[in-house]
Amino acid sequence: MISDSTKRFSSLVDNYVKYRPHYPEEILNFLRDELGLKAQHKIADIGSGTGILTKLLLKTGSETFAVEPNRPMREAAERE
């Protein structure tokens, strides 16, 4: 097992992109209604992986930053 988080999922990126479940869009209502998220807020998705959540967060209109230390995972997110 690879303990270095910058390499742990490097060989699994294609499967991660293909099979990882996505978050329901209803989470955006929760973020707005329950947590008060507004378009002028800034969001940091730390450990963003292939950007599944980041892509959804961008729909809020908030400035969103994805931070992913694993290069292959980050590159997959950038392609999306």
Side-chain angles (χ1 to χ4, degrees):
M1 180 168 138
I2 299 172
S3 62
D4 181 350
S5 65
T6 64
K7 297 181 175 103
R8 186 173 302 147
F9 296 102
S10 296
S11 65
L12 303 172
V13 173
D14 291 337
N15 284 336
Y16 198 93
V17 169
K18 206 185 269 187
Y19 301 113
R20 175 82 174 168
H22 289 81
Y23 299 97
E25 294 225 8
E26 291 78 16
I27 192 79
L28 298 178
N29 295 329
F30 173 80
L31 294 172
R32 287 185 194 114
D33 301 342
E34 301 297 323
L35 301 181
L37 181 64
K38 295 183 178 20
Q40 65 266 29
H41 290 147
K42 295 183 184 336
I43 301 172
D45 184 3
I46 308 299
S48 58
T50 59
I52 293 170
L53 181 58
T54 306
K55 191 174 181 179
L56 190 58
L57 292 170
L58 287 168
K59 293 181 179 186
T60 67
S62 299
E63 188 174 8
T64 304
F65 301 89
V67 179
E68 176 51 54
N70 181 288
R71 184 178 182 160
M73 295 287 270
R74 185 177 58 251
E75 289 171 347
E78 291 169 353
R79 285 191 296 273
E80 290 292 316

